[in-house]
Structure formats: C-alpha cells, structure tokens
Amino acid sequence: MNIQRWIARREPNWQRLDALLSQVEKKGLKSLGAAEIRELASLYRSVAADLARARTQQLGNILVQNLHLLTNRGYSQIYQGSRRQEWEAVVQFYKWGLPAVVQQTFPYTATAIALFLVGAIIAWWYAWQDPSFLSIVVPEKLIKLVRDEHKLWMGSIVGIEPLASTGIMINNLSVSFGAVAGGITAGVFTTYLMVFNGLSIGAIATLVGQNHLAYPFWAFVFPHGSLELPAIFFAGGAGFLLGRAILFPGKYRRVDALKFYGSQAVQLIFGIVPMLIIAGIIEGFLSPNPNVPEVFKYLVGMGLFIFLVAYCSRKLKTEPHPALSGIPLLIKERER
C-alpha cells in the first residue's frame, strides 16, 4: 500500500469530520442539519475503519494517535450526545407530553372512573340494605376487627414501613398492569378490575362508616389515594385503548390500530409508574403514621390531587417539540 497516496486520499474526510465535531462541540448537535448529521455518522464510521487499518499496517504512532483522538471525539458526540438528547426527550415528555396524552385519552380514563364508581355505589347500596353483603367482598377478619374491636387495620404497617411500602408498590403495579393487559381481552378484564376495585372501596367505606371510623379511615386513604386511584384509572384507560383497537379499529387495520392506540397506552404507563411509586412511599410511611395529625393527612391528599389535576391540565401554547409525542417516538427515531 502506498501510504502517502492513502493518507492524501483519506485526509479530506478526517478534516471534514474534525470540522463537524468542532461545530458540535461549540454549538451542540442541534446546530447541524439533517444531511450534516448523516454525514457526521458516515464519516465517523469511515474514520474508525481508517484507524483500524492504520493500526494493522503500523503506519506510525502520530497518525494512529490523531485518528484515535478523532474517533474518540466522534464517539463522545454521537453516542453520549444522543444519550443527552434522550434524557432531554424524557424531561420534555413528563413536562408536556404526558399531560397531552392524558387529555387526548381522557374519555377512556373517564370510562374507567365511571365503572369504578358504579361498583362503589352498588357496594354501598347493598351493604346498607343487607349487612351480610360485606362478607362477599371484605375479608371476615377485617369485618370483625372493625365491628367488634372498633379498630382500623393500618397500625399493622407501623414498624415495618420499608417492607410494607415495597409490598404496596408491587401490589399497585400488578393491579395497574393487569388493567392495562386486560385490554387484550377486548377490555373485559379491565372492566372487571375497575368494577371490583369499586366494590371493594365501596364496601370498606360503608363498613367503617357504619362503625363511626370514617374520619380516620379517609385520613389514611387521602394522602396516597390522591395519586394511587388516578394511576389505576389511567391504567384502566390504557386497557380500554387497547380494547378499542381490537373491537373498533375504525379507519385503521386492526394491527395498525393496536400500534396507534398501544402507543398512547404505553405513554400512560410511563406516567403511571412514578405515580404509584410515590403513592407507595406515602402509604408506607405517612398514611399509617399515628404521629401525623389526621388534618395534615387530609391536606396532603387534597394538595397532591389539586397538583395532579393542574399538571394534567397543562397545555403547550407554542409549537410542540418532537419529543412531546412521547417515549415511543424517541424509540422509533433510534430505529431509523
């Protein structure tokens, strides 16, 4: 191989890559156009191949070191810079994208809320009419504790807060993911979970109300329930989105409808997980704590719920950033 001729032929590529990298290092990757970004990636691969060849042919330490430095700079900007953009996309998604998808899919979430309320009202009605109805929904041990001893069960968490909090998170996540996965059954299992959870809450609320323990019970529920219940409703909405795709694909082919509505469901899941983690921490440490005044628990619960409503009501007034369509868009961009 004629080394001088090879270097002369390849050197313009090295200089061009150096110029592009210098621009990115000063002004960021956004300063390049789409064609320049493709050129940067192509040049990086080309120079990496040149480095391998220079090492194999033992073309001199200075040349190898220069090419090595150039490829390191390219790797840093292309891969680490890409990761920075991914994190920026995640931040933008939680800042604007999640509220947008919550608003777009609210009819499905509202369906989940309605089914939950139907279950709660049915349980409340039958529990007042026939006290034996409670034993169908509520464990007998719980009924005896409330009726016979006039005690609530939350004290069992005190002393084992970390373990209890972890168990609560896992349980809530399993219920939520079950509600989402229930969409594959055309929404039948999702409907069952929403109604059943409503029956449980309605029956327990009636039980504590009949035994004059409603105030401390709701003081326990409010702090974590202000996030936990909306998260479950969002999960139900995600399940109904999948059910809609299966039953009523509309103008789409069924597989395309699953992709479209499934993308929205996935975005809701990205919102559900942090909500349930926070709710689990609150339920494990704050809600059952006897040293925290019940009035304060009510205030925390109402404050969190107001914050959640305000957050989900946010609207982007300017042209949306591409990342605002959510995490799935980011994944697609990386696959291209």
Side-chain angles (χ1 to χ4, degrees), residues 184-234:
I184 301 301
T185 65
V188 174
F189 187 67
T190 303
T191 299
Y192 163 76
L193 282 178
M194 293 300 106
V195 174
F196 179 77
N197 277 278
L199 286 169
S200 298
I201 290 291
I204 292 173
T206 304
L207 174 65
V208 298
Q210 289 172 340
N211 292 273
H212 310 291
L213 292 172
Y215 184 78
F217 169 74
W218 290 112
F220 167 78
V221 171
F222 261 54
H224 63 273
S226 59
L227 295 178
E228 183 181 298
L229 286 176
I232 292 174
F233 298 149
F234 290 156

Side-chain angles (χ1 to χ4, degrees), residues 106-264:
F106 186 73
Y108 302 91
T109 302
T111 302
I113 295 172
L115 290 168
F116 177 89
L117 291 176
V118 166
I121 291 170
I122 290 173
W124 172 81
W125 175 259
Y126 277 100
W128 278 105
Q129 298 299 316
D130 182 7
S132 63
F133 172 81
L134 287 174
S135 60
I136 301 175
V137 182
V138 183
E140 191 64 31
K141 181 180 179 181
L142 207 63
I143 295 174
K144 289 180 178 179
L145 179 67
V146 175
R147 278 185 178 169
D148 300 341
E149 301 181 34
H150 293 281
K151 292 181 180 179
L152 295 175
W153 57 94
M154 297 77 170
S156 60
I157 298 176
V158 178
I160 57 167
E161 288 87 350
L163 181 63
S165 181
T166 302
I168 290 164
M169 287 182 208
I170 293 172
N171 177 69
N172 291 338
L173 286 168
S174 65
V175 171
S176 297
F177 285 124
V180 176
I184 301 301
T185 65
V188 174
F189 187 67
T190 303
T191 299
Y192 163 76
L193 282 178
M194 293 300 106
V195 174
F196 179 77
N197 277 278
L199 286 169
S200 298
I201 290 291
I204 292 173
T206 304
L207 174 65
V208 298
Q210 289 172 340
N211 292 273
H212 310 291
L213 292 172
Y215 184 78
F217 169 74
W218 290 112
F220 167 78
V221 171
F222 261 54
H224 63 273
S226 59
L227 295 178
E228 183 181 298
L229 286 176
I232 292 174
F233 298 149
F234 290 156
F240 288 131
L241 280 165
L242 297 179
R244 157 74 189 274
I246 294 172
L247 292 175
F248 308 107
K251 62 182 180 180
Y252 302 104
R253 293 183 304 163
R254 189 162 276 106
V255 64
D256 293 330
L258 278 170
K259 289 179 181 178
F260 176 75
Y261 292 110
S263 173
Q264 292 181 317

Side-chain angles (χ1 to χ4, degrees), residues 73-124:
R73 289 170 62 201
Y75 178 88
S76 176
Q77 294 302 325
I78 293 172
Y79 292 99
Q80 294 182 11
S82 174
R83 293 191 189 102
R84 283 196 298 270
Q85 287 189 318
E86 289 176 13
W87 279 111
E88 288 176 5
V90 169
V91 170
Q92 289 297 319
F93 170 73
Y94 281 109
K95 188 176 181 181
W96 298 110
L98 181 57
V101 79
V102 167
Q103 293 165 35
Q104 292 164 8
T105 61
F106 186 73
Y108 302 91
T109 302
T111 302
I113 295 172
L115 290 168
F116 177 89
L117 291 176
V118 166
I121 291 170
I122 290 173
W124 172 81

Side-chain angles (χ1 to χ4, degrees), residues 273-309:
V273 172
M275 288 172 65
L276 290 178
I277 290 174
I278 295 170
I281 294 171
I282 293 173
E283 188 173 358
F285 290 90
L286 174 65
S287 295
N289 193 328
N291 297 318
V292 178
E294 291 174 343
V295 173
F296 181 75
K297 294 178 183 178
Y298 275 101
L299 291 173
V300 169
M302 288 187 288
L304 285 173
F305 183 72
I306 291 170
F307 171 80
L308 179 64
V309 171

